[in-house]
Each structure stands twice: as structure tokens, then as C-alpha cells.
Amino acid sequence: QVQLVESGGGLVQAGGSLRLSCAASGSIFRFNVMGWYRQAPGKQRDLVATITTGSSTNYADSVKGRFTISRDNAKNTVYLQMTSLKPVDTAVYYCFADLTVVTGPDLEVWGQGTLVTVSS
């Protein structure tokens, strides 16, 4: 029983910054991989960034140098700091976690999404 809740989305002007948060709740033993995906209208859901145990990160080419993913294990929270935002970044952003619950099994959990709109 794990839930992910995203927050921080909203309307931002081009060139601005925004930080998304994803808080996980439940009986979580360990986070294996957490990350962010996004989906614009009429397009497929694409990977934005991931972070693993040991804080190894991976980014889509379209956001490298502009977005930074981080985590706070004590708070069971992952963040996406977005800078130099562009209108093409407009999308619903989804938090993703591959984790191990205290009872042992691994789960893949998705948040409900938070909308980011970047105006030109």
C-alpha cells in the first residue's frame, strides 16, 4: 500500500523555474529507482529523469542541463528542479517509483500527475 502524490505544478513563463515534489507514503522499505515522466497532449509518455540508490541520475537529452532530479530519503520524497523552462516542456508530469515494501515485494507505483504549463 504505497501512494505517490505530486505537487508543484502550475503556470510559469518561459525562462522561469519550478520545482516539482513527489511524496511517497506507505510501508516502504527501500526505493530502488524513482523518476519523472511527462506526457504532452497527443504524445506518448516520455522519460524525463531518474535517480537510483546511490544517487546515480539519468536525464532525457531534451532536459539535460536544465532539469535536476534529487531525493530526500528521510522524507521519502523526490524532486525535479526545472529551470530555463520552455513552452515545449508543457505537459503532465508523473512521478514513478520502483520500490520494495516492508513485506518484501517490489512494486512499480505511479502518481496521478501534476500539470506544468509554460507560456511563451
Side-chain angles (χ1 to χ4, degrees):
Q1 295 180 332
V2 177
Q3 291 183 322
L4 304 179
V5 179
E6 301 100 334
S7 62
L11 177 63
V12 187
Q13 293 183 339
S17 300
L18 199 64
R19 189 177 78 160
L20 305 182
S21 299
C22 174
S25 62
S27 301
I28 302 167
F29 175 74
R30 181 184 65 241
F31 287 98
N32 304 313
V33 180
M34 297 191 72
W36 293 91
Y37 288 71
R38 67 185 182 185
Q39 187 169 24
K43 296 185 178 181
Q44 66 182 15
R45 186 174 298 185
D46 294 324
L47 175 68
V48 177
T50 61
I51 186 167
T52 67
T53 55
S55 298
S56 297
T57 58
N58 187 48
Y59 298 92
D61 288 340
S62 59
V63 305
K64 284 182 178 177
R66 300 190 297 120
F67 291 9
T68 302
I69 188 170
S70 61
R71 69 184 185 190
D72 186 335
N73 290 334
K75 297 180 179 180
N76 289 340
T77 301
V78 63
Y79 305 95
L80 185 68
Q81 179 67 50
M82 304 182 294
T83 62
S84 301
L85 284 163
K86 306 174 182 179
V88 294
D89 296 319
T90 296
V92 177
Y93 285 71
Y94 296 91
C95 181
F96 168 83
D98 181 286
L99 51 84
T100 303
V101 295
V102 295
T103 54
D106 288 348
L107 299 177
E108 293 184 353
V109 186
W110 290 86
Q112 293 298 306
T114 184
L115 177 63
V116 173
T117 303
V118 184
S119 62
S120 60

